[in-house]
Each structure stands twice: as C-alpha cells, then as structure tokens.
Amino acid sequence: MTKLVIAVLLLVLGEYFRLLPDRLEQREGAKREWKDHRRIRRREQRHLHFMHVANRALRVDRMLHLVSDAASCGEALTSVLEELCRYHGAAMGRIWQSIRATDPVREVSRYDAALHSGETENAEDSLNELHPLAAEALRRNEPQTIRFPARTASDAGLASQVCIPIWVQQQRFAIVLAFIQEPHDLDAVVADIASLADAIRPALFR
C-alpha cells in the first residue's frame, strides 16, 4: 500500500513538473499581455488628451477670432452664441444683460436652431423671460443648471437649460442655452462654456 501511494505521488509530481514550464510560460504570457494592454491604453489616453487640448485650442482661437472685430462686449458675445449652441446641441440660446440691479434684464441676442435649420415647427419659446434661477445666477455671478420637471418640460418643449454669467468690468451678461433633449452631462456643458468664457474674457475688456 505504501509503495502504491509513493508511486501515485511520484506520478503526480512528475506530471506537475512536466507541465510547470508551460504554466510558467502561460503566466508570463498573461503578464506580457496585461502590460501591453496597459501600454496601449496609456498611449490611447495620451492621444485623446492631446486631441482634446488641440481641439480646445482651436475652439478658443475661433472664439477669439469671432470677438476680435466686435464693437462692444455685447456684440462680441452675440457672435459666439450660435457657435456655442451648435457645439452643444442647444435648441435655443439667449444672451441677457443686466444694466442696473433695479432695472429688468434685457435680451441682447437670441438663437433658435429650428429657424436656422429651416424647420417650421419649434418648441414653445420659454426664454422670452429670464428664468428666476438664471436671474439669481446672473446676480451672484455663479453658473446654474436648471432641469425642468417632466410636465413642465412637456408643456414648454424644453428639458433643461444652463446659465453662465459673464461679468466684464461693470457689465453683467448671462449666456443661456436651452435643450429639448438634455445632454449626457449638463454640468460638463456649464464647465466648458465657463472655461471658454474665462479664456476670451481678456479680449472682452475694451
């Protein structure tokens, strides 16, 4: 019985050591594959980062070009409104200006995607007046995202809107973009426009 057990153990050990090189090779191969995957992933991430930086530089340059010949800050912002609406897929866009705290805000410029695309039907324009939350954002100089309840969105044709204030010396402006279908990340839209606004702000001081 003891000899039989020893013989079985020797067979098992022999098979183990016979297969050991293959197993080690498989393990090393898996390690190499994992390292190659990580290296490719890092390369793709660097490429995407460089593309993002390059695209953003082109957008900033485009915005600066649009405002360079403007006669006023309001006119400069008007020239970039359509660009922002098209880039972010907004159905409507408005620029509002606050002259004095005691006076009502006035509309400086507007953009309606349906009118520019030649469509006859358009969502009910709920931007004829500045939304109270957007007005508060303009007063406090803080960006604001506004999501409408389903019933309200159905009535007005809008799902959400964003308001990005731009203060230039004593002038108070607000860029408002409204969406029929809410973007995947509304906060990212706000961050993008706010960042672009900071980039072109020096050109607005005139």
Side-chain angles (χ1 to χ4, degrees):
M1 185 64 180
T2 303
K3 292 182 179 181
L4 180 60
V5 171
I6 294 174
V8 171
L9 288 175
L10 290 175
L11 285 173
V12 171
L13 289 174
E15 184 67 13
Y16 172 78
F17 284 110
R18 185 181 71 81
L19 296 177
L20 182 60
D22 291 338
R23 291 178 177 176
L24 292 176
E25 179 62 27
Q26 290 176 358
R27 182 178 299 177
E28 291 299 318
K31 287 182 179 180
R32 287 193 298 269
E33 183 177 348
W34 179 72
K35 290 179 179 179
D36 290 342
H37 176 74
R38 286 190 60 189
R39 184 164 53 251
I40 293 172
R41 180 61 178 169
R42 286 196 298 266
R43 187 183 303 125
E44 291 176 347
Q45 289 176 341
R46 287 196 299 269
H47 176 72
L48 290 175
H49 174 71
F50 292 147
M51 289 295 295
H52 173 76
V53 171
N55 288 336
R56 184 161 189 82
L58 289 174
R59 288 182 65 205
V60 171
D61 182 71
R62 169 67 176 165
M63 296 296 180
L64 291 173
H65 177 73
L66 288 173
V67 304
S68 61
D69 297 328
S72 66
C73 185
E75 182 181 326
L77 292 176
T78 296
S79 66
V80 304
L81 179 61
E82 181 176 348
E83 289 286 328
L84 292 174
C85 288
R86 288 183 180 275
Y87 182 83
H88 289 291
M92 306 175 192
R94 299 290 184 270
I95 295 179
W96 299 89
Q97 182 179 16
S98 174
I99 306 297
R100 298 181 184 85
T102 56
D103 295 338
V105 295
R106 69 182 185 92
E107 182 182 298
V108 176
S109 179
R110 62 171 46 205
Y111 170 82
D112 292 285
L115 296 178
H116 283 72
S117 64
E119 297 178 7
T120 56
E121 294 184 0
N122 192 14
E124 179 183 344
D125 192 349
S126 63
L127 296 184
N128 285 332
E129 294 183 359
L130 188 61
H131 191 282
L133 291 178
E136 180 67 11
L138 174 57
R139 186 185 68 82
R140 301 179 61 180
N141 194 26
E142 294 179 355
Q144 178 72 49
T145 60
I146 303 169
R147 293 175 172 84
F148 300 111
R151 181 184 60 79
T152 304
S154 176
D155 293 342
L158 299 176
S160 59
Q161 71 179 50
V162 298
C163 175
I164 298 88
I166 300 180
W167 288 19
V168 182
Q169 295 179 340
Q170 300 303 313
Q171 302 183 78
R172 306 288 189 263
F173 296 94
I175 296 180
V176 177
L177 271 60
F179 301 89
I180 294 177
Q181 294 182 344
E182 183 173 321
H184 176 67
D185 190 346
L186 204 61
D187 292 334
V189 174
V190 172
D192 176 74
I193 299 176
S195 178
L196 285 173
D198 288 338
I200 67 174
R201 194 187 307 274
L204 298 174
F205 284 89
R206 53 180 79 236

